[in-house]
Amino acid sequence: MPRYFFDLDDGRHFFRDEAGTDCGDTHAIRAEVARTLAAIARDNIAIAPLANAEDPDRQALTASVRNAGNLVV
């Protein structure tokens, strides 16, 4: 099963996934992104280092997915 890496960016910090996750297809990739972002929100996204100092109630988080060849898919 192919391995994908889910990197996160909050506009100030970039978090590179070094471990990766095995996913069988694009549906599994999308589900993993949704689970990851939901877990971050559930764990209170306003906690540093993801906090938006100017407006702590407004958060933006981007997830990008790389394949084993380091290409964003």
Side-chain angles (χ1 to χ4, degrees), residues 17-40:
D17 178 2
E18 299 293 340
T21 302
D22 294 333
C23 295
D25 58 21
T26 57
H27 297 292
I29 293 169
R30 286 186 186 119
E32 184 62 29
V33 168
R35 277 191 294 277
T36 299
L37 294 177
I40 291 169

Side-chain angles (χ1 to χ4, degrees), residues 7-64:
D7 302 325
L8 302 173
D9 187 345
D10 71 356
R12 294 182 358 202
H13 303 95
F14 180 77
F15 304 91
R16 183 177 177 90
D17 178 2
E18 299 293 340
T21 302
D22 294 333
C23 295
D25 58 21
T26 57
H27 297 292
I29 293 169
R30 286 186 186 119
E32 184 62 29
V33 168
R35 277 191 294 277
T36 299
L37 294 177
I40 291 169
R42 186 175 47 252
D43 291 341
N44 192 354
I45 197 167
I47 295 174
L50 296 176
N52 178 343
E54 295 80 35
D55 185 358
D57 292 329
R58 183 180 175 112
Q59 302 294 323
L61 187 62
T62 303
S64 59

